[in-house]
Amino acid sequence: MTKIDALRRFLFPCISHTTSPSHSPPTTTTTTTTKRRLSTSLRDDPESPEDNQETSSSSSSPTTPNTLIPYAPPRFSRTMVIGTIFGHRRGGHVWFCLQQDRLSTTPALLLELSIPTSTLIQEMECGLVRIALEFNAAESAESELSSCPLHSVPLWTLFCNGRKLGFAVRRKATQQNRILLKTMQNITVGAGVIPCGSAFGSGLNSEEIMYMRANYERVVGSADSESFHLINLDEGPGQELSIFLLRSK
């Protein structure tokens, strides 16, 4: 009995050790289920920073144009041109010439105003001059004038500081005008008097010519409205001169 008891004591741990592998399948099952739960939980876990970056970049790509190009209301077109007002010192009408380049003798716009030079000088002494050129396309017999470029309108009704003072006519540059512009090529900004001489031709050598050249801010509001505003050199008070082109339909 003692031997049997000794064998039991010796074999019992061995039997219990060998029987433990018999329980391994449930353990394997639990581990597999645990692994399955872990893999399932990985799908539910928050994504990695790289995944977040890719997702954010892909999700933000459709809205990027909306953020980079916000809606902006239409704005007026603003450019700078060279404007020259000139006319005979005594008598005669005032001319207004627009140039993109002062070295060019072909003006972009040349208008002859029915304002006498002396009258314009009196208006400029007040420091504020507003010249409005209006054209009513509905009253014109030529229908194409309602849609042509604004600078192609041949005749304007002229208002100076609210008073109707006649008309303004679009002119083509003559040889005398070209010679005058060539004489003022070296003048960027300024006012003065050009002495009379044979270089200006028979029509312009009778008396001196007064001129005022400056930079103007050109503001294009629409196809039917445009304005030119004199730019003073200094920040102090100066001459305020504006010319408006308005076409009504």
Side-chain angles (χ1 to χ4, degrees):
M1 294 295 292
T2 306
K3 292 181 179 182
I4 293 173
D5 293 335
L7 290 173
R8 287 178 179 175
R9 292 177 182 177
F10 176 77
L11 293 176
F12 181 77
C14 297
I15 294 172
S16 61
H17 180 70
T18 55
T19 56
S20 59
S22 63
H23 297 284
S24 60
T27 306
T28 307
T29 304
T30 54
T31 54
T32 55
T33 55
T34 305
K35 288 183 179 180
R36 288 179 182 177
R37 289 177 183 175
L38 287 175
S39 61
T40 305
S41 64
L42 286 175
R43 295 193 189 104
D44 296 335
D45 287 341
E47 296 178 354
S48 62
E50 296 179 357
D51 295 335
N52 288 334
Q53 186 175 2
E54 294 177 0
T55 306
S56 60
S57 62
S58 61
S59 61
S60 62
S61 59
T63 59
T64 301
N66 295 332
T67 56
L68 293 178
I69 309 176
Y71 171 75
R75 297 181 179 179
F76 296 138
S77 174
R78 299 175 182 267
T79 56
M80 190 175 67
V81 295
I82 300 173
T84 306
I85 296 176
F86 62 92
H88 294 292
R89 189 170 188 177
R90 297 180 180 89
H93 294 160
V94 174
W95 293 69
F96 180 65
C97 175
L98 284 179
Q99 296 173 275
Q100 301 291 341
D101 183 8
R102 62 181 174 85
L103 300 179
S104 175
T105 58
T106 303
L109 178 63
L110 182 62
L111 296 173
E112 182 182 4
L113 313 180
S114 60
I115 303 177
T117 306
S118 57
T119 302
L120 181 61
I121 293 175
Q122 292 176 0
E123 295 291 340
M124 294 178 66
E125 289 177 354
C126 300
L128 178 63
V129 178
R130 296 288 185 270
I131 298 177
L133 305 180
E134 298 182 1
F135 173 73
N136 191 351
E139 298 178 355
S140 176
E142 301 178 8
S143 59
E144 63 272 10
L145 294 180
S146 61
S147 58
C148 69
L150 203 59
H151 290 183
S152 299
V153 175
L155 185 64
W156 301 84
T157 303
L158 189 150
F159 296 87
C160 182
N161 289 342
R163 295 181 299 161
K164 184 177 180 180
L165 295 179
F167 301 92
V169 183
R170 180 177 60 88
R171 299 294 190 186
K172 292 183 179 180
T174 62
Q175 184 64 24
Q176 297 174 356
N177 299 136
R178 296 178 189 275
I179 294 175
L180 180 63
L181 294 177
K182 187 176 181 179
T183 305
M184 293 189 294
Q185 282 182 347
N186 296 329
I187 302 174
T188 305
V189 175
V193 177
I194 298 177
C196 58
S198 60
F200 302 112
S202 59
L204 294 176
N205 62 354
S206 58
E207 60 183 270
E208 298 175 332
I209 296 178
M210 301 183 64
Y211 72 90
M212 183 182 70
R213 169 168 284 189
N215 293 322
Y216 286 77
E217 182 183 24
R218 178 188 178 190
V219 181
V220 179
S222 66
D224 300 317
S225 64
E226 191 172 333
S227 61
F228 303 92
H229 307 273
L230 185 144
I231 301 175
N232 293 298
L233 292 178
D234 51 359
E235 298 180 356
Q239 179 66 49
E240 293 189 12
L241 175 62
S242 298
I243 299 177
F244 300 87
L245 304 180
L246 303 173
R247 176 172 56 188
S248 59
K249 300 178 181 180

